[in-house]
């Protein structure tokens, strides 16, 4: 039977060009994370299902790629064997899943190792995650995340460092029109304060998070449906209408909720964080106070961050904030931290849109050694070895096909130089070098050849 | 409910030290692969189950981590719903799986894209694979592979390049006592030739592959059980007893099977490959002809390669060879190639055993900026920013705790330098720099400080 060589839906291959470009993004981020003193952590793709479902509940459950148990996975499910309840059967036939973010593995790692660990712990992690979402344009089921978190300190210096780091990354990638929106979870708490219960506050944040996407009218309807009071809804609307620079926004917020404990604390912290970030060199204009920014995830407890690019359909480039209770479901109390996560595929798309990959090298091989006749191969292999010993990324065309075909191969692969050694070259002990970009061809002695290539390729 | 923060069995976290060391291996391999003109390819972790089971059949089936279908995965299985046949139910509730090698995704990729691709195609791929094996010491269920393959050429130059590349990688990593064993699948074919059927030849290779592990006696028993003739078994035993250097071994092989078509072709190719490798600079002593080397996988058709270290319980460091029919199950004929795969975790273990990680940098942060008093934080953040602008990997201790604790933190994290700015330093506009290795502490002006750090850290 012939099998169709199709990809799993929502997943992609990365050919060399995509890998070069993605590695450019990754190495830029990685070197900045390292400059900021973050150390690397990597965790396995698979986590126990209990770990994955523990924190995010039903919402997370839907995103998990579940792994079938090995062996007889039907053994334990006799009593559950009715067709209505496949959701109940799932944990009985599946005990692990693919991670769908890097935060749960981080917290699992810290909870398992915190006694031997050193705090404050600054870790970065650059690995793929998988989400069993419905695939659609720009939304993939496998994608790379780059997280940086500082765990174990309540100092507001940490928040400032994260903000500056985001700025440095987006600046280094030369992304235009980006901004970093910030808010404080306490602001939303203060707005919804009349509702009292913390469970309702979560729902409030999830609904408010949709403001930009669905507008105030639909958010209002959703809040009404959930039983939020007219007072809270009106209060929220007033926040949507706040205008001005950061100072003016903070003043308006202060007038509205500054008299409450939560409100005054949130505004004081936001102010302090921006002052710290300023000391760290963050330009004022980059950071925008967004009084209704929520970020759906329930776990933020302080600063909430979203990086975005104005005037583009591509959503946020990443998000983050402070969280103070993440370890609780592992029984690890006192695990507080602040962090941020870049979505690499979003960065990639925006960089493509803004034509920022121009200077990224889009080839591996620098020199193609043409193969003109079978019987010369021993000599060619010898030269090949010497070219590589000199640091030139070289390949040999493995068969003595027509030179036209070999040059066309070099051309399509963006190989900048081709070396040809024919009858004439052999008799004069010289090397014909063709520069593919210009088409210029010259003959050189071996030392001259190495010199020309070294200069052109800036071999280290 | 509290959840235990356990790892999935057979999987591991990689703390910073492991990541630094593994990245050292990966970047060494990557730069050599690039020097040899290979270009990168990355493929998704998940492949369709039909793709994964298509090539390797039952053997592969057992290694796959199956992903449960999303939604109601029980819907289609009413008629199969008996408990004896869970294997039949598997494809009905699971339609994708995690890749368990990088060869199947490569072949799937080429089969899907070969019309737009350029051949010969030299690709490398460094990504994790997953195997639902029983976990045991040294055998993990998630591990990294680094493959390099040349697809689309029958030239024996390719074989030589792969052999030299293996030599370069193991030499660059400074691994001692390694050797590259080679054989030709035609040698085994010639030994088993009396048995005729190609299906039996596969079984023959799988059994012979166990020679080193279980010995000739058990291999003989296994071959008898499968109905191989006494002639074939005796023939194999004579091959086990061949002794001498490569030339002597080839002569003995030639005497035994040189009169057969398969045998003479195999020996001629092996000889040619070694000559080519010699032209490429491969030292004679590194390559050992191993007349009974089989490598279990059925897909090799020519050269068979195994890299190993003598006198160690750690098995092979990787394997490879030439394969000429891999694309067949996708209906893509004429897909021939030669390649090799390094198992990074095996390399890691052997390097640990041989103490080869001594020179690998085992820290990120180069400078810790001590935090001595809360009110000085704005100034500290300013200095932090300037240190980073100068390229020093710097972190600030985020809270003004006792200096003893901060120095101990630097010590445990291998941070080489700590900068302290107290009352005295502020009044004299100077910076106290402590070198953690020596304990020596000196005061410097800002330009002096940058100069001292630049020299010590060799900032690029």
């Amino acid at each position: 039977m012939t099998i169709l060589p199709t990809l799993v839906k929502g997943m992609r291959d990365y050919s060399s060009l995509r890998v070069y470009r993605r590695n450019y993004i990754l190495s830029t981020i990685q070197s900045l994370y390292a400059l900021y003193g973050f150390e690397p952590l990597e965790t396995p793709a698979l986590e126990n299902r209990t770990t994955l479902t523990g924190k995010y509940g039903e919402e997370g459950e839907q995103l998990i790629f579940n792994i079938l148990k090995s062996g007889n996975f039907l053994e334990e499910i006799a009593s559950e064997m009715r067709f209505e309840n496949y959701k109940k059967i799932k944990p009985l036939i599946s005990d692990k899943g693919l991670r769908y973010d890097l935060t749960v593995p981080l917290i699992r790692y810290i909870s398992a190792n915190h006694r031997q660990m050193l705090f404050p712990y600054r870790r970065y992690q650059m690995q793929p995650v998988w989400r069993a979402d419905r695939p659609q344009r720009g939304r993939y089921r496998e994608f790379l995340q780059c997280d940086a978190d500082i765990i174990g300190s309540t100092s507001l210096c940490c928040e400032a460092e994260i903000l500056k780091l985001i700025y440095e990354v987006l600046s280094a990638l030369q992304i235009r029109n980006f901004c970093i929106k910030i808010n404080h979870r306490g602001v939303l708490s203060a707005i919804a304060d009349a509702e009292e219960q913390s469970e309702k506050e979560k729902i409030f944040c999830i609904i408010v998070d949709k403001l930009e996407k669905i507008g105030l009218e639909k958010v209002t309807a959703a809040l009404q449906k959930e039983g939020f009071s007219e007072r809270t809804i009106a209060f929220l609307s007033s926040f949507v209408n706040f205008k001005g620079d950061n100072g003016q926004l903070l003043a308006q917020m202060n007038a509205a909720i500054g008299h409450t404990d939560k409100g005054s604390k949130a505004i004081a912290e936001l102010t302090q964080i921006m002052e710290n970030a300023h000391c760290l060199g963050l330009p004022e204009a980059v950071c925008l106070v967004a009084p209704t920014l929520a970020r759906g995830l329930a776990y933020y407890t302080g600063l909430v961050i979203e990086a975005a690019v104005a005037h583009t359909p591509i959503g946020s480039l990443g998000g983050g904030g402070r969280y103070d209770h993440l370890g609780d479901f592992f029984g690890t109390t006192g695990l507080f931290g602040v962090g941020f996560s870049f979505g690499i595929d979003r960065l990639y798309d925006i960089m493509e849109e803004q034509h920022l990959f121009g200077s990224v090298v889009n080839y591996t091989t620098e020199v193609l050694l043409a193969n003109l006749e079978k019987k010369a191969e021993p000599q060619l292999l010898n030269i090949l070895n010497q070219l590589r010993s000199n640091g030139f990324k070289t390949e040999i065309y493995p068969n003595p096909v027509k030179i036209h075909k070999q040059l066309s191969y070099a051309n399509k692969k963006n190989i900048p130089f081709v070396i040809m050694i024919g009858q004439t070259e052999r008799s004069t002990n010289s090397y014909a070098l063709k520069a593919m970009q210009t088409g210029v061809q010259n003959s050189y002695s071996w030392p001259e050849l190495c010199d020309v290539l070294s200069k052109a390729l800036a071999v280290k």
Side-chain angles (χ1 to χ4, degrees), chain A:
Chain A
M1 191 190 71
T2 299
I3 296 158
L4 278 179
T6 51
L7 275 164
V8 169
K9 233 192 288 176
M11 310 232 162
R12 296 168 297 168
D13 291 319
Y14 293 84
S15 61
S16 55
L17 183 71
R18 274 197 96 90
V19 176
Y20 298 137
R21 291 179 167 185
R22 205 158 77 156
N23 284 350
Y24 167 74
I25 299 176
L26 290 174
S27 66
T28 302
I29 295 182
Q30 195 273 338
S31 60
L32 283 165
Y33 281 4
L35 185 66
Y36 274 62
F38 288 81
E39 58 180 82
L41 171 69
E42 295 187 4
T43 63
L46 270 55
E47 296 281 353
N48 291 315
R49 255 183 65 88
T50 46
T51 299
L52 293 173
T53 54
K55 178 65 192 169
Y56 301 133
E58 182 69 16
E59 188 198 353
E61 161 83 45
Q62 285 173 18
L63 294 177
I64 300 171
F65 277 116
N66 293 278
I67 309 282
L68 208 55
K69 278 189 186 175
S70 305
N72 188 344
F73 48 84
L74 295 179
E75 216 165 57
E76 291 169 27
I77 63 169
S79 63
E80 300 288 343
M81 208 44 122
R82 261 162 294 116
F83 273 28
E84 316 82 85
N85 56 3
Y86 75 91
K87 281 189 184 172
K88 268 196 196 162
I89 293 177
K90 213 188 262 186
L92 299 172
I93 61 176
S94 160
D95 54 359
K96 22 190 187 302
L98 287 165
R99 62 168 173 252
Y100 59 90
D101 72 11
L102 301 176
T103 305
V104 165
L106 169 68
I107 302 305
R108 195 258 314 136
Y109 175 78
I110 296 175
S111 295
N113 300 290
H114 64 103
R115 280 190 190 81
Q116 313 90 272
M117 286 177 67
L118 203 57
F119 293 98
Y121 175 51
R122 303 166 154 257
R123 89 88 176 74
Y124 71 86
Q125 190 168 354
M126 305 173 35
Q127 290 191 284
V129 300
W130 295 268
R131 293 197 182 166
D133 252 348
R134 196 153 40 87
Q136 53 192 74
R137 201 164 171 280
R139 192 195 283 172
Y140 313 108
R141 294 165 91 185
E142 175 181 69
F143 53 96
L144 258 181
Q145 288 204 324
C146 289
D147 286 23
D149 290 82
I150 305 173
I151 312 286
S153 167
T154 53
S155 165
L156 296 177
C157 292
C158 302
E159 273 85 342
E161 286 204 72
I162 296 288
L163 291 174
K164 179 73 192 310
L165 182 53
I166 299 167
Y167 167 76
E168 295 255 23
V169 165
L170 298 175
S171 302
L173 294 174
Q174 302 187 290
I175 288 170
R176 290 186 296 274
N177 298 324
F178 72 84
C179 65
I180 307 170
K181 297 182 205 164
I182 61 169
N183 196 15
H184 194 289
R185 195 45 75 92
V187 171
L188 296 169
S189 297
I191 297 176
D193 201 32
E195 317 299 330
E196 301 285 336
Q197 304 141 325
S198 76
E199 201 45 51
K200 280 202 87 168
E201 198 182 302
K202 275 188 203 173
I203 299 168
F204 185 73
C205 289
I206 290 169
I207 296 174
V208 173
D209 186 40
K210 296 178 181 141
L211 251 174
E212 227 171 283
K213 221 184 218 167
I214 64 175
L216 184 59
E217 208 166 310
K218 282 184 180 158
V219 162
T220 300
L223 289 172
Q224 281 166 338
K225 207 178 148 202
E226 290 291 340
F228 284 90
S229 68
E230 288 309 314
R231 184 201 153 275
T232 295
I233 293 170
F235 213 19
L236 177 68
S237 319
S238 70
F239 272 70
V240 173
N241 291 321
F242 287 168
K243 278 190 180 63
D245 61 23
N246 287 343
Q248 289 165 325
L249 287 169
L250 285 170
Q252 291 164 72
M253 289 156 74
N254 196 41
I257 54 168
H259 61 283
T260 67
D261 285 352
K262 287 179 187 170
S264 66
K265 185 175 174 239
I267 292 164
E269 285 199 6
L270 273 178
T271 308
Q272 180 67 57
I273 289 166
M274 285 196 291
E275 276 175 28
N276 286 349
H278 181 62
C279 293
L280 260 180
L282 186 76
E284 300 277 1
V286 167
C287 230
L288 301 180
V289 173
T292 58
L293 177 68
R295 303 280 308 168
L297 293 173
Y299 59 63
Y300 295 121
T301 52
L303 180 69
V304 182
I305 315 169
E306 183 169 285
V309 169
H311 319 303
T312 170
I314 294 166
S316 85
L317 302 176
R322 177 171 282 278
Y323 44 86
D324 281 353
H325 304 290
L326 263 190
D328 294 2
F329 74 111
F330 287 123
T332 313
T333 50
L335 210 65
F336 29 78
V338 53
F340 188 81
S341 176
F342 278 110
I344 297 308
D345 301 85
R346 291 280 177 80
L347 283 177
Y348 190 102
D349 291 348
I350 202 80
M351 288 184 65
E352 212 158 50
E353 201 182 289
Q354 296 191 355
H355 309 289
L356 300 177
F357 286 123
S359 63
V360 178
V361 170
N362 62 355
Y363 57 84
T364 301
T365 305
E366 296 164 331
V367 181
L368 176 70
L369 188 56
N371 189 337
L372 302 182
E373 46 181 333
K374 185 103 193 119
K375 70 166 201 277
E377 276 179 9
Q379 191 208 356
L380 283 182
L381 290 171
N382 198 288
I383 293 166
L384 178 63
N385 185 39
Q386 288 178 50
L387 287 164
R388 286 173 179 160
S389 300
N390 278 283
F392 308 124
K393 300 190 180 86
T394 313
E395 61 179 284
I396 184 173
Y397 201 93
N399 297 77
V401 300
K402 291 210 179 86
I403 184 65
H404 162 75
K405 201 176 167 190
Q406 299 187 43
L407 289 173
S408 148
Y409 172 85
N411 210 25
K412 285 181 185 155
K413 256 189 104 168
N414 288 320
I415 301 176
F417 293 102
V418 177
I419 294 174
M420 288 164 288
I421 304 162
Q423 201 62 56
T424 325
E425 284 76 22
R426 250 200 306 284
S427 66
T428 58
N429 214 0
S430 67
Y431 303 81
L433 181 74
K434 191 181 180 81
M436 295 303 289
Q437 194 110 57
T438 58
V440 172
Q441 186 174 326
N442 279 307
S443 263
Y444 299 104
S445 70
W446 177 254
E448 285 168 353
L449 179 81
C450 290
D451 197 46
V452 168
L453 288 175
S454 286
K455 278 180 186 140
L457 300 167
V459 168
K460 282 145 263 166

